[in-house]
Amino acid sequence: MSEQILFCPGCMNDVTGKDVCPYCGFDLKKQQESPFLPYQTVLGGKYIVGDILERNSEGVTYLGLDNMTNSCVRIREFLPSDLCDRNENGMLVPRENYDVTFTSYRRSFLDLWHKLAKLRHLDQFIGVRDVFESGGTAYAVCDADGTMTLGQYLDENGPMQWSDLSVKLSDLPGALEKLHANGIIHGGIAPDTLFLCADDRFRLWGFTIPELRAVDAPVAPEIRPGYAALEQYVSTEQLCPATDIYALSAVTYRSLTGKAPLDAQTRLSRDNLTIPAETAKALPEYVTAALIAGLQLKREDRPQNIQALRDALDPEQYQRARKAAAKPNATSNVLSNALLRDPLSDLEDGLPENEPKPRIPDEPVAIQEPELVPVLTKDAKPAGSSTATVVLISVAIVFIMLILFAALALTGLITFNFSGGKTTSARVFEMPDFGGRLKSDALIEQYANDYDLHITLQQENAKDVAPDVIFEQDIAPGTKVARGSNLTLKYSRGASTVSVPNFVGLPFTETVYYLGRLNLTYNIIERPNPGGNAAGTVAVMNPAAGSVVYEGTEIQIEIWGDASLGTVSGTESGSEITNSSSILSGIFGRLSEGVQGILGQ
């Protein structure tokens, strides 16, 4: 390892002799925190270690440089910091009583990445270049394809149309099929483990040893709420291809609706997951059905493999499945049943045409069936017909009717109001538009009472909305939802203001850090430096220090340029060099982790 910084840890450009990277603004005097590898460490004789990209309980991923090809790479190091320490020689040493677990996990790490390396020839993955052991641990080196995750893409662009999403995710089913064929269940598919690559398609990342994909791991499990299947929360359950199909369906739901689905554990106790009306209307019927199938809580109700998922997304096969299911006594496979299990598909007036028996999602409850009463055909004559027989039959009919009424009441198809108020029998209702109403509006209480609607009022800053006025609801108006659903209504706190601090004389990297904490945006202007001013420090602010502004206001920051360049010809007030979204975005990206730690976000 060289003491001199030759390559910027933040972008891997040559910065020999510099103190600050001219490309991304990385402070080259910064040291890597323990127990992570120091900057400029050379692994395998050719991979130079840079800054940390991500880390979890299994290990850490560094930005790196392959100095043989002069190309950026991702370096994944097996580093379960709860199980080991790095000694003064740079070796990982298991902690007392954890040597067996550490060794077992390292073996699992190597097994996973060796399998992935064999699939490098496929363009459906982010390619694995190298897998090796060093310093008491193991490493995997991968291509650095993809600069944006699906989550970042959706945050910037909003929900996607199916026509676009199906193209961008077109490689994913094939990738999963190859993984499953090689005994690998990803178990962590989510918007932040899919990277947009040069061909405008998303590819898989975020691989972790299988021991961390369930709740009973001795270190923090790698489970992504909203995208993890129910079986990942049960220590005795085995993961399977249907586990990844649930996650892929959840990613599709997030991409189409703009919101992550409810966590599987939450759905287990109160499942009110719905597809918003505006999304459902824009989707082909077979896509909606496949999405419903893939999001079933019980894994046996989902497509069991990728081919079954492909069949579900085949419009011709879907229509054949519907026709087969419509025939009396027709037999169908599990996938066909799952595709047609949407409880809202037959709703017109709030009641399903063919209501199935209620299904308990936890464990089956034994239901004692009433004894059957013989039904006589018109040619049959009852033997020993008498008044007693008629009475017995009448009693049996009344008994059966009482059982039916009780069952309907338990399922919510019939409700009884003993307080003398209004009785509402609809099991499903259409969500009204609460936007523009006050949080105390009587309509909110009415729906809470009539439909057992669980409403959460959430206050947020809203510059253009009067205080206490509702401006957002998490279930769109017009959506058909079940009784007992949860609804969040956001109402305005009004505009929130900030007093601008005095940043004059501070380095601009510190300035943008604090502006971020104050929820203020910024634009950087370079000011000619006549000499005597520290380059890169703040010269002038507009609005000036002490000004009271709304959150989100853009602050113009003039910074002193390099004095050696002299006065810029043709300008006195300074020349605009960049907007914060370009050259400074890399700096602020690195600072954001520290901001979030301070703010507890």
Side-chain angles (χ1 to χ4, degrees), residues 117-137:
K118 292 179 181 178
L119 301 174
R120 172 169 170 73
H121 63 286
L122 301 173
D123 60 2
Q124 299 159 326
F125 300 94
I126 291 178
V128 180
R129 297 189 180 194
D130 202 355
V131 182
F132 58 92
E133 296 181 73
S134 178
T137 187

Side-chain angles (χ1 to χ4, degrees), residues 160-451:
M160 300 172 67
Q161 297 296 316
W162 170 249
S163 56
D164 187 23
L165 179 65
S166 60
V167 172
K168 282 185 166 55
L169 294 183
S170 59
D171 286 339
L172 195 50
L176 290 177
E177 194 167 42
K178 295 295 183 184
L179 288 179
H180 298 164
N182 284 272
I184 301 172
I185 303 298
H186 190 284
I189 300 170
D192 63 342
T193 60
L194 292 165
F195 275 88
L196 186 62
C197 296
D199 61 356
D200 203 33
R201 299 188 183 193
F202 286 96
R203 289 190 169 82
L204 264 179
W205 177 249
F207 293 95
T208 294
I209 58 175
E211 290 87 345
L212 268 61
R213 293 303 193 195
V215 294
D216 58 346
V219 296
E222 276 296 298
I223 296 178
R224 288 172 166 78
Y227 305 94
L230 186 59
E231 56 266 24
Q232 292 181 258
Y233 294 96
V234 182
S235 59
T236 57
E237 293 286 348
Q238 294 293 318
L239 306 191
C240 62
T243 304
D244 282 340
I245 288 173
Y246 183 94
L248 177 56
S249 302
V251 165
T252 302
Y253 182 96
R254 160 78 170 88
S255 303
L256 294 172
T257 67
K259 295 182 180 180
L262 293 172
D263 177 75
Q265 285 186 306
T266 302
R267 292 182 60 199
L268 185 61
S269 59
R270 181 179 289 277
D271 192 1
N272 57 359
L273 183 63
T274 60
I275 300 176
E278 63 271 21
T279 302
K281 289 177 183 177
L283 290 176
E285 185 178 350
Y286 65 91
V287 175
T288 303
L291 189 56
I292 292 168
L295 286 171
Q296 293 295 311
L297 283 174
K298 291 187 175 181
R299 61 182 177 186
E300 59 267 25
D301 290 340
R302 301 175 218 139
Q304 297 298 292
N305 51 54
I306 296 300
Q307 186 55 52
L309 181 63
R310 288 196 182 99
D311 292 343
L313 290 170
D314 183 327
E316 294 184 0
Q317 293 214 39
Y318 170 72
Q319 291 301 330
R320 285 197 294 269
R322 285 191 64 90
K323 291 178 181 177
K327 295 178 181 179
N329 301 322
T331 58
S332 58
N333 57 30
V334 173
L335 172 61
S336 300
N337 289 329
L339 289 174
L340 304 174
R341 192 175 284 114
D342 179 9
L344 303 184
S345 61
D346 297 325
L347 292 174
E348 294 294 339
D349 302 318
L351 292 173
E353 292 179 1
N354 299 301
E355 176 66 16
K357 292 181 180 179
R359 186 166 62 96
I360 308 299
D362 293 316
E363 53 186 11
V365 177
I367 300 176
Q368 184 175 357
E369 295 288 343
E371 293 183 2
L372 297 177
V373 178
V375 179
L376 304 176
T377 64
K378 69 175 184 177
D379 295 327
K381 295 181 180 180
S385 177
S386 64
T387 302
T389 303
V390 173
V391 171
L392 287 174
I393 293 174
S394 300
V395 170
I397 292 173
V398 171
F399 180 67
I400 292 171
M401 290 180 66
L402 288 173
I403 291 176
L404 289 175
F405 272 106
L408 290 171
L410 287 173
T411 59
L413 290 174
I414 295 178
T415 60
F416 301 97
N417 189 338
F418 295 102
S419 62
K422 180 181 176 182
T423 299
T424 303
S425 61
R427 184 185 179 193
V428 174
F429 64 96
E430 188 172 287
M431 182 63 66
D433 187 357
F434 292 105
R437 297 177 181 271
L438 290 173
K439 67 173 184 176
S440 57
D441 195 290
L443 185 66
I444 298 175
E445 184 176 359
Q446 176 188 334
Y447 269 78
N449 292 333
D450 289 354
Y451 297 104

Side-chain angles (χ1 to χ4, degrees), residues 4-5 14-23 28-29:
Q4 182 184 13
I5 298 293
D14 188 339
V15 289
T16 304
K18 305 288 185 182
D19 291 328
V20 176
C21 176
Y23 304 99
L28 299 175
K29 297 187 293 295

